[in-house]
Amino acid sequence: MDRREKATCRVIRPGGAYDGKQGLSYFEGIARETVGSTGICMHLLTIPPGARARAHLHESHETAIYVLSGEAHTWYGERLEEHVVVRAGEMFYIPAGVPHLPANLSDVPCSAVIARTDPHEQESVVLLPELDGLVTGKTES
């Protein structure tokens, strides 16, 4: 959206998807690219059974997640030493700069609404390949 255009309310019907640097596919939602947002993005993510993301962090934005269905395991911390399971109906907060790696260890999809404080979801994603191997074996069902 051209910034000179008048700001207005918009309805987004998620349809198209994009592949994130993290290795998962996201349904397009609220972002600078879709509605001209300036401080937030929000989209849907479904992690297929057995899938996992690459270890990464978001340099300059916070993330809030609401799990709609299923459950996600997430390892986080400087060496991915912390672990949490977030289930349907629960919310999860990830501060800016915290390394993390989510995975779906179940046999059903995990769907979530994800909101971030950066209108460009992929702008500050930093992949951390040196951490990927730290959860090898832990992400196998």
Side-chain angles (χ1 to χ4, degrees), residues 16-51:
Y18 66 93
D19 293 329
K21 294 177 190 176
Q22 306 94 311
L24 300 173
S25 293
Y26 298 83
F27 289 100
E28 291 179 333
I30 308 297
R32 179 165 290 172
E33 296 78 9
T34 58
V35 299
S37 61
T38 60
I40 191 169
C41 75
M42 185 173 71
H43 52 268
L44 298 174
L45 169 66
T46 296
I47 305 174

PDB file of all heavy atoms in Angstrom, residues 16-51:
ATOM      1  N   GLY A  16      -3.403 -17.257   0.237  1.00  0.00           N
ATOM      2  CA  GLY A  16      -2.054 -17.536  -0.233  1.00  0.00           C
ATOM      3  C   GLY A  16      -1.128 -17.862   0.922  1.00  0.00           C
ATOM      4  O   GLY A  16      -1.355 -17.467   2.060  1.00  0.00           O
ATOM      5  N   ALA A  17      -0.110 -18.609   0.626  1.00  0.00           N
ATOM      6  CA  ALA A  17       0.881 -18.968   1.647  1.00  0.00           C
ATOM      7  C   ALA A  17       2.266 -18.563   1.159  1.00  0.00           C
ATOM      8  O   ALA A  17       2.483 -18.357  -0.034  1.00  0.00           O
ATOM      9  CB  ALA A  17       0.837 -20.470   1.928  1.00  0.00           C
ATOM     10  N   TYR A  18       3.178 -18.418   2.095  1.00  0.00           N
ATOM     11  CA  TYR A  18       4.573 -18.157   1.744  1.00  0.00           C
ATOM     12  C   TYR A  18       5.458 -19.008   2.634  1.00  0.00           C
ATOM     13  O   TYR A  18       5.088 -19.369   3.742  1.00  0.00           O
ATOM     14  CB  TYR A  18       4.923 -16.670   1.867  1.00  0.00           C
ATOM     15  CG  TYR A  18       4.877 -16.135   3.274  1.00  0.00           C
ATOM     16  CD1 TYR A  18       6.028 -16.112   4.065  1.00  0.00           C
ATOM     17  CD2 TYR A  18       3.695 -15.648   3.825  1.00  0.00           C
ATOM     18  CE1 TYR A  18       6.002 -15.631   5.353  1.00  0.00           C
ATOM     19  CE2 TYR A  18       3.659 -15.164   5.123  1.00  0.00           C
ATOM     20  CZ  TYR A  18       4.810 -15.152   5.878  1.00  0.00           C
ATOM     21  OH  TYR A  18       4.778 -14.679   7.155  1.00  0.00           O
ATOM     22  N   ASP A  19       6.617 -19.354   2.109  1.00  0.00           N
ATOM     23  CA  ASP A  19       7.576 -20.143   2.868  1.00  0.00           C
ATOM     24  C   ASP A  19       8.498 -19.208   3.635  1.00  0.00           C
ATOM     25  O   ASP A  19       9.179 -18.375   3.039  1.00  0.00           O
ATOM     26  CB  ASP A  19       8.402 -21.035   1.932  1.00  0.00           C
ATOM     27  CG  ASP A  19       7.553 -22.110   1.280  1.00  0.00           C
ATOM     28  OD1 ASP A  19       6.572 -22.554   1.914  1.00  0.00           O
ATOM     29  OD2 ASP A  19       7.853 -22.513   0.151  1.00  0.00           O
ATOM     30  N   GLY A  20       8.486 -19.336   4.947  1.00  0.00           N
ATOM     31  CA  GLY A  20       9.339 -18.517   5.791  1.00  0.00           C
ATOM     32  C   GLY A  20      10.760 -19.053   5.823  1.00  0.00           C
ATOM     33  O   GLY A  20      10.999 -20.229   5.565  1.00  0.00           O
ATOM     34  N   LYS A  21      11.692 -18.189   6.149  1.00  0.00           N
ATOM     35  CA  LYS A  21      13.097 -18.588   6.279  1.00  0.00           C
ATOM     36  C   LYS A  21      13.261 -19.714   7.286  1.00  0.00           C
ATOM     37  O   LYS A  21      14.188 -20.513   7.205  1.00  0.00           O
ATOM     38  CB  LYS A  21      13.939 -17.398   6.767  1.00  0.00           C
ATOM     39  CG  LYS A  21      14.048 -16.249   5.824  1.00  0.00           C
ATOM     40  CD  LYS A  21      14.844 -15.123   6.493  1.00  0.00           C
ATOM     41  CE  LYS A  21      14.805 -13.855   5.708  1.00  0.00           C
ATOM     42  NZ  LYS A  21      15.502 -12.762   6.413  1.00  0.00           N
ATOM     43  N   GLN A  22      12.337 -19.776   8.256  1.00  0.00           N
ATOM     44  CA  GLN A  22      12.411 -20.744   9.337  1.00  0.00           C
ATOM     45  C   GLN A  22      12.120 -22.175   8.870  1.00  0.00           C
ATOM     46  O   GLN A  22      12.279 -23.114   9.626  1.00  0.00           O
ATOM     47  CB  GLN A  22      11.411 -20.398  10.445  1.00  0.00           C
ATOM     48  CG  GLN A  22      11.527 -18.998  10.981  1.00  0.00           C
ATOM     49  CD  GLN A  22      10.597 -18.015  10.289  1.00  0.00           C
ATOM     50  OE1 GLN A  22      10.529 -17.951   9.069  1.00  0.00           O
ATOM     51  NE2 GLN A  22       9.907 -17.210  11.059  1.00  0.00           N
ATOM     52  N   GLY A  23      11.633 -22.342   7.631  1.00  0.00           N
ATOM     53  CA  GLY A  23      11.370 -23.684   7.118  1.00  0.00           C
ATOM     54  C   GLY A  23       9.922 -24.121   7.201  1.00  0.00           C
ATOM     55  O   GLY A  23       9.607 -25.268   6.913  1.00  0.00           O
ATOM     56  N   LEU A  24       9.009 -23.234   7.600  1.00  0.00           N
ATOM     57  CA  LEU A  24       7.586 -23.550   7.665  1.00  0.00           C
ATOM     58  C   LEU A  24       6.825 -22.646   6.707  1.00  0.00           C
ATOM     59  O   LEU A  24       7.320 -21.590   6.317  1.00  0.00           O
ATOM     60  CB  LEU A  24       7.063 -23.353   9.094  1.00  0.00           C
ATOM     61  CG  LEU A  24       7.719 -24.214  10.172  1.00  0.00           C
ATOM     62  CD1 LEU A  24       7.235 -23.790  11.559  1.00  0.00           C
ATOM     63  CD2 LEU A  24       7.448 -25.694   9.931  1.00  0.00           C
ATOM     64  N   SER A  25       5.610 -23.048   6.342  1.00  0.00           N
ATOM     65  CA  SER A  25       4.761 -22.246   5.457  1.00  0.00           C
ATOM     66  C   SER A  25       3.706 -21.513   6.284  1.00  0.00           C
ATOM     67  O   SER A  25       3.081 -22.106   7.158  1.00  0.00           O
ATOM     68  CB  SER A  25       4.065 -23.138   4.424  1.00  0.00           C
ATOM     69  OG  SER A  25       5.013 -23.676   3.539  1.00  0.00           O
ATOM     70  N   TYR A  26       3.521 -20.235   5.989  1.00  0.00           N
ATOM     71  CA  TYR A  26       2.586 -19.377   6.698  1.00  0.00           C
ATOM     72  C   TYR A  26       1.494 -18.922   5.740  1.00  0.00           C
ATOM     73  O   TYR A  26       1.763 -18.652   4.575  1.00  0.00           O
ATOM     74  CB  TYR A  26       3.308 -18.127   7.227  1.00  0.00           C
ATOM     75  CG  TYR A  26       4.390 -18.439   8.213  1.00  0.00           C
ATOM     76  CD1 TYR A  26       5.667 -18.805   7.784  1.00  0.00           C
ATOM     77  CD2 TYR A  26       4.162 -18.360   9.569  1.00  0.00           C
ATOM     78  CE1 TYR A  26       6.674 -19.097   8.690  1.00  0.00           C
ATOM     79  CE2 TYR A  26       5.155 -18.649  10.485  1.00  0.00           C
ATOM     80  CZ  TYR A  26       6.409 -19.012  10.041  1.00  0.00           C
ATOM     81  OH  TYR A  26       7.395 -19.307  10.937  1.00  0.00           O
ATOM     82  N   PHE A  27       0.252 -18.798   6.261  1.00  0.00           N
ATOM     83  CA  PHE A  27      -0.816 -18.216   5.460  1.00  0.00           C
ATOM     84  C   PHE A  27      -0.710 -16.708   5.580  1.00  0.00           C
ATOM     85  O   PHE A  27      -0.581 -16.174   6.685  1.00  0.00           O
ATOM     86  CB  PHE A  27      -2.190 -18.689   5.946  1.00  0.00           C
ATOM     87  CG  PHE A  27      -2.444 -20.121   5.624  1.00  0.00           C
ATOM     88  CD1 PHE A  27      -2.272 -21.109   6.582  1.00  0.00           C
ATOM     89  CD2 PHE A  27      -2.857 -20.494   4.347  1.00  0.00           C
ATOM     90  CE1 PHE A  27      -2.497 -22.439   6.284  1.00  0.00           C
ATOM     91  CE2 PHE A  27      -3.086 -21.821   4.034  1.00  0.00           C
ATOM     92  CZ  PHE A  27      -2.910 -22.800   4.998  1.00  0.00           C
ATOM     93  N   GLU A  28      -0.763 -16.016   4.430  1.00  0.00           N
ATOM     94  CA  GLU A  28      -0.667 -14.558   4.452  1.00  0.00           C
ATOM     95  C   GLU A  28      -1.779 -13.973   5.308  1.00  0.00           C
ATOM     96  O   GLU A  28      -2.889 -14.488   5.345  1.00  0.00           O
ATOM     97  CB  GLU A  28      -0.774 -14.006   3.037  1.00  0.00           C
ATOM     98  CG  GLU A  28       0.431 -14.341   2.190  1.00  0.00           C
ATOM     99  CD  GLU A  28       0.308 -13.811   0.783  1.00  0.00           C
ATOM    100  OE1 GLU A  28      -0.827 -13.651   0.291  1.00  0.00           O
ATOM    101  OE2 GLU A  28       1.353 -13.555   0.185  1.00  0.00           O
ATOM    102  N   GLY A  29      -1.462 -12.889   5.986  1.00  0.00           N
ATOM    103  CA  GLY A  29      -2.449 -12.243   6.851  1.00  0.00           C
ATOM    104  C   GLY A  29      -2.231 -10.751   6.882  1.00  0.00           C
ATOM    105  O   GLY A  29      -2.057 -10.116   5.849  1.00  0.00           O
ATOM    106  N   ILE A  30      -2.198 -10.189   8.074  1.00  0.00           N
ATOM    107  CA  ILE A  30      -1.989  -8.757   8.267  1.00  0.00           C
ATOM    108  C   ILE A  30      -0.490  -8.476   8.213  1.00  0.00           C
ATOM    109  O   ILE A  30       0.274  -9.056   8.975  1.00  0.00           O
ATOM    110  CB  ILE A  30      -2.535  -8.310   9.641  1.00  0.00           C
ATOM    111  CG1 ILE A  30      -3.979  -8.748   9.859  1.00  0.00           C
ATOM    112  CG2 ILE A  30      -2.334  -6.813   9.842  1.00  0.00           C
ATOM    113  CD1 ILE A  30      -4.981  -8.160   8.910  1.00  0.00           C
ATOM    114  N   ALA A  31      -0.069  -7.611   7.313  1.00  0.00           N
ATOM    115  CA  ALA A  31       1.351  -7.246   7.175  1.00  0.00           C
ATOM    116  C   ALA A  31       1.432  -5.956   6.362  1.00  0.00           C
ATOM    117  O   ALA A  31       0.452  -5.523   5.753  1.00  0.00           O
ATOM    118  CB  ALA A  31       2.129  -8.361   6.484  1.00  0.00           C
ATOM    119  N   ARG A  32       2.597  -5.378   6.363  1.00  0.00           N
ATOM    120  CA  ARG A  32       2.799  -4.187   5.547  1.00  0.00           C
ATOM    121  C   ARG A  32       2.465  -4.482   4.083  1.00  0.00           C
ATOM    122  O   ARG A  32       1.847  -3.685   3.395  1.00  0.00           O
ATOM    123  CB  ARG A  32       4.228  -3.687   5.665  1.00  0.00           C
ATOM    124  CG  ARG A  32       4.467  -2.440   4.797  1.00  0.00           C
ATOM    125  CD  ARG A  32       5.708  -1.718   5.142  1.00  0.00           C
ATOM    126  NE  ARG A  32       5.481  -1.104   6.448  1.00  0.00           N
ATOM    127  CZ  ARG A  32       6.431  -0.502   7.156  1.00  0.00           C
ATOM    128  NH1 ARG A  32       7.644  -0.433   6.699  1.00  0.00           N
ATOM    129  NH2 ARG A  32       6.157   0.023   8.325  1.00  0.00           N
ATOM    130  N   GLU A  33       2.876  -5.671   3.641  1.00  0.00           N
ATOM    131  CA  GLU A  33       2.684  -6.029   2.236  1.00  0.00           C
ATOM    132  C   GLU A  33       1.212  -6.225   1.853  1.00  0.00           C
ATOM    133  O   GLU A  33       0.835  -6.012   0.714  1.00  0.00           O
ATOM    134  CB  GLU A  33       3.462  -7.318   1.912  1.00  0.00           C
ATOM    135  CG  GLU A  33       4.968  -7.179   2.040  1.00  0.00           C
ATOM    136  CD  GLU A  33       5.500  -7.225   3.477  1.00  0.00           C
ATOM    137  OE1 GLU A  33       4.726  -7.533   4.426  1.00  0.00           O
ATOM    138  OE2 GLU A  33       6.688  -6.934   3.665  1.00  0.00           O
ATOM    139  N   THR A  34       0.376  -6.630   2.802  1.00  0.00           N
ATOM    140  CA  THR A  34      -1.025  -6.901   2.472  1.00  0.00           C
ATOM    141  C   THR A  34      -1.973  -5.756   2.791  1.00  0.00           C
ATOM    142  O   THR A  34      -2.944  -5.543   2.072  1.00  0.00           O
ATOM    143  CB  THR A  34      -1.529  -8.175   3.194  1.00  0.00           C
ATOM    144  OG1 THR A  34      -1.370  -8.004   4.600  1.00  0.00           O
ATOM    145  CG2 THR A  34      -0.786  -9.409   2.704  1.00  0.00           C
ATOM    146  N   VAL A  35      -1.735  -5.036   3.905  1.00  0.00           N
ATOM    147  CA  VAL A  35      -2.663  -3.976   4.303  1.00  0.00           C
ATOM    148  C   VAL A  35      -1.978  -2.649   4.620  1.00  0.00           C
ATOM    149  O   VAL A  35      -2.634  -1.683   4.976  1.00  0.00           O
ATOM    150  CB  VAL A  35      -3.520  -4.401   5.523  1.00  0.00           C
ATOM    151  CG1 VAL A  35      -4.351  -5.624   5.193  1.00  0.00           C
ATOM    152  CG2 VAL A  35      -2.676  -4.621   6.753  1.00  0.00           C
ATOM    153  N   GLY A  36      -0.650  -2.625   4.547  1.00  0.00           N
ATOM    154  CA  GLY A  36       0.071  -1.397   4.861  1.00  0.00           C
ATOM    155  C   GLY A  36       0.290  -1.164   6.339  1.00  0.00           C
ATOM    156  O   GLY A  36       0.547  -0.034   6.766  1.00  0.00           O
ATOM    157  N   SER A  37       0.218  -2.208   7.165  1.00  0.00           N
ATOM    158  CA  SER A  37       0.416  -2.026   8.610  1.00  0.00           C
ATOM    159  C   SER A  37       1.812  -1.481   8.882  1.00  0.00           C
ATOM    160  O   SER A  37       2.747  -1.709   8.117  1.00  0.00           O
ATOM    161  CB  SER A  37       0.193  -3.340   9.370  1.00  0.00           C
ATOM    162  OG  SER A  37       1.105  -4.319   8.954  1.00  0.00           O
ATOM    163  N   THR A  38       1.933  -0.753   9.969  1.00  0.00           N
ATOM    164  CA  THR A  38       3.218  -0.115  10.276  1.00  0.00           C
ATOM    165  C   THR A  38       3.884  -0.639  11.546  1.00  0.00           C
ATOM    166  O   THR A  38       5.032  -0.304  11.811  1.00  0.00           O
ATOM    167  CB  THR A  38       3.042   1.410  10.419  1.00  0.00           C
ATOM    168  OG1 THR A  38       2.115   1.661  11.485  1.00  0.00           O
ATOM    169  CG2 THR A  38       2.541   2.027   9.117  1.00  0.00           C
ATOM    170  N   GLY A  39       3.182  -1.440  12.355  1.00  0.00           N
ATOM    171  CA  GLY A  39       3.799  -1.894  13.595  1.00  0.00           C
ATOM    172  C   GLY A  39       3.432  -3.303  14.020  1.00  0.00           C
ATOM    173  O   GLY A  39       3.805  -3.726  15.109  1.00  0.00           O
ATOM    174  N   ILE A  40       2.702  -4.021  13.170  1.00  0.00           N
ATOM    175  CA  ILE A  40       2.276  -5.370  13.566  1.00  0.00           C
ATOM    176  C   ILE A  40       2.075  -6.235  12.326  1.00  0.00           C
ATOM    177  O   ILE A  40       1.800  -5.724  11.233  1.00  0.00           O
ATOM    178  CB  ILE A  40       0.961  -5.305  14.373  1.00  0.00           C
ATOM    179  CG1 ILE A  40       0.653  -6.659  15.034  1.00  0.00           C
ATOM    180  CG2 ILE A  40      -0.200  -4.827  13.508  1.00  0.00           C
ATOM    181  CD1 ILE A  40      -0.481  -6.605  16.045  1.00  0.00           C
ATOM    182  N   CYS A  41       2.253  -7.520  12.517  1.00  0.00           N
ATOM    183  CA  CYS A  41       1.819  -8.487  11.510  1.00  0.00           C
ATOM    184  C   CYS A  41       1.122  -9.613  12.254  1.00  0.00           C
ATOM    185  O   CYS A  41       1.369  -9.836  13.442  1.00  0.00           O
ATOM    186  CB  CYS A  41       2.965  -9.011  10.649  1.00  0.00           C
ATOM    187  SG  CYS A  41       4.028 -10.198  11.465  1.00  0.00           S
ATOM    188  N   MET A  42       0.202 -10.277  11.572  1.00  0.00           N
ATOM    189  CA  MET A  42      -0.501 -11.401  12.154  1.00  0.00           C
ATOM    190  C   MET A  42      -0.823 -12.374  11.031  1.00  0.00           C
ATOM    191  O   MET A  42      -1.284 -11.960   9.964  1.00  0.00           O
ATOM    192  CB  MET A  42      -1.790 -10.953  12.843  1.00  0.00           C
ATOM    193  CG  MET A  42      -2.504 -12.091  13.565  1.00  0.00           C
ATOM    194  SD  MET A  42      -3.921 -11.537  14.559  1.00  0.00           S
ATOM    195  CE  MET A  42      -5.077 -11.101  13.286  1.00  0.00           C
ATOM    196  N   HIS A  43      -0.538 -13.644  11.263  1.00  0.00           N
ATOM    197  CA  HIS A  43      -0.817 -14.643  10.252  1.00  0.00           C
ATOM    198  C   HIS A  43      -1.118 -15.981  10.901  1.00  0.00           C
ATOM    199  O   HIS A  43      -1.041 -16.126  12.115  1.00  0.00           O
ATOM    200  CB  HIS A  43       0.341 -14.753   9.253  1.00  0.00           C
ATOM    201  CG  HIS A  43       1.664 -14.939   9.909  1.00  0.00           C
ATOM    202  ND1 HIS A  43       2.488 -13.889  10.244  1.00  0.00           N
ATOM    203  CD2 HIS A  43       2.303 -16.043  10.332  1.00  0.00           C
ATOM    204  CE1 HIS A  43       3.570 -14.356  10.832  1.00  0.00           C
ATOM    205  NE2 HIS A  43       3.482 -15.651  10.896  1.00  0.00           N
ATOM    206  N   LEU A  44      -1.481 -16.946  10.072  1.00  0.00           N
ATOM    207  CA  LEU A  44      -1.783 -18.294  10.540  1.00  0.00           C
ATOM    208  C   LEU A  44      -0.653 -19.224  10.167  1.00  0.00           C
ATOM    209  O   LEU A  44      -0.059 -19.092   9.093  1.00  0.00           O
ATOM    210  CB  LEU A  44      -3.072 -18.804   9.894  1.00  0.00           C
ATOM    211  CG  LEU A  44      -4.341 -18.022  10.195  1.00  0.00           C
ATOM    212  CD1 LEU A  44      -5.507 -18.560   9.372  1.00  0.00           C
ATOM    213  CD2 LEU A  44      -4.666 -18.100  11.681  1.00  0.00           C
ATOM    214  N   LEU A  45      -0.386 -20.154  11.046  1.00  0.00           N
ATOM    215  CA  LEU A  45       0.642 -21.160  10.801  1.00  0.00           C
ATOM    216  C   LEU A  45       0.064 -22.522  11.149  1.00  0.00           C
ATOM    217  O   LEU A  45      -0.554 -22.682  12.205  1.00  0.00           O
ATOM    218  CB  LEU A  45       1.868 -20.892  11.678  1.00  0.00           C
ATOM    219  CG  LEU A  45       2.923 -22.002  11.728  1.00  0.00           C
ATOM    220  CD1 LEU A  45       3.592 -22.177  10.369  1.00  0.00           C
ATOM    221  CD2 LEU A  45       3.948 -21.706  12.800  1.00  0.00           C
ATOM    222  N   THR A  46       0.244 -23.480  10.264  1.00  0.00           N
ATOM    223  CA  THR A  46      -0.079 -24.869  10.573  1.00  0.00           C
ATOM    224  C   THR A  46       1.201 -25.673  10.429  1.00  0.00           C
ATOM    225  O   THR A  46       1.826 -25.662   9.364  1.00  0.00           O
ATOM    226  CB  THR A  46      -1.176 -25.425   9.643  1.00  0.00           C
ATOM    227  OG1 THR A  46      -2.377 -24.678   9.871  1.00  0.00           O
ATOM    228  CG2 THR A  46      -1.442 -26.898   9.935  1.00  0.00           C
ATOM    229  N   ILE A  47       1.611 -26.302  11.528  1.00  0.00           N
ATOM    230  CA  ILE A  47       2.804 -27.150  11.506  1.00  0.00           C
ATOM    231  C   ILE A  47       2.322 -28.582  11.295  1.00  0.00           C
ATOM    232  O   ILE A  47       1.598 -29.125  12.136  1.00  0.00           O
ATOM    233  CB  ILE A  47       3.612 -27.057  12.816  1.00  0.00           C
ATOM    234  CG1 ILE A  47       3.965 -25.604  13.141  1.00  0.00           C
ATOM    235  CG2 ILE A  47       4.873 -27.912  12.712  1.00  0.00           C
ATOM    236  CD1 ILE A  47       4.649 -25.425  14.498  1.00  0.00           C
ATOM    237  N   PRO A  48       2.696 -29.194  10.173  1.00  0.00           N
ATOM    238  CA  PRO A  48       2.264 -30.574   9.924  1.00  0.00           C
ATOM    239  C   PRO A  48       2.853 -31.539  10.956  1.00  0.00           C
ATOM    240  O   PRO A  48       3.878 -31.256  11.581  1.00  0.00           O
ATOM    241  CB  PRO A  48       2.846 -30.879   8.531  1.00  0.00           C
ATOM    242  CG  PRO A  48       3.165 -29.555   7.928  1.00  0.00           C
ATOM    243  CD  PRO A  48       3.485 -28.643   9.078  1.00  0.00           C
ATOM    244  N   PRO A  49       2.214 -32.695  11.142  1.00  0.00           N
ATOM    245  CA  PRO A  49       2.755 -33.692  12.060  1.00  0.00           C
ATOM    246  C   PRO A  49       4.208 -34.024  11.715  1.00  0.00           C
ATOM    247  O   PRO A  49       4.557 -34.207  10.548  1.00  0.00           O
ATOM    248  CB  PRO A  49       1.856 -34.916  11.830  1.00  0.00           C
ATOM    249  CG  PRO A  49       0.576 -34.344  11.313  1.00  0.00           C
ATOM    250  CD  PRO A  49       0.977 -33.145  10.498  1.00  0.00           C
ATOM    251  N   GLY A  50       5.056 -34.061  12.726  1.00  0.00           N
ATOM    252  CA  GLY A  50       6.455 -34.410  12.536  1.00  0.00           C
ATOM    253  C   GLY A  50       7.349 -33.305  11.995  1.00  0.00           C
ATOM    254  O   GLY A  50       8.557 -33.486  11.878  1.00  0.00           O
ATOM    255  N   ALA A  51       6.784 -32.140  11.681  1.00  0.00           N
ATOM    256  CA  ALA A  51       7.586 -31.045  11.104  1.00  0.00           C
ATOM    257  C   ALA A  51       8.218 -30.196  12.202  1.00  0.00           C
ATOM    258  O   ALA A  51       7.744 -30.154  13.339  1.00  0.00           O
ATOM    259  CB  ALA A  51       6.733 -30.165  10.202  1.00  0.00           C
TER     260      ALA A  51
END
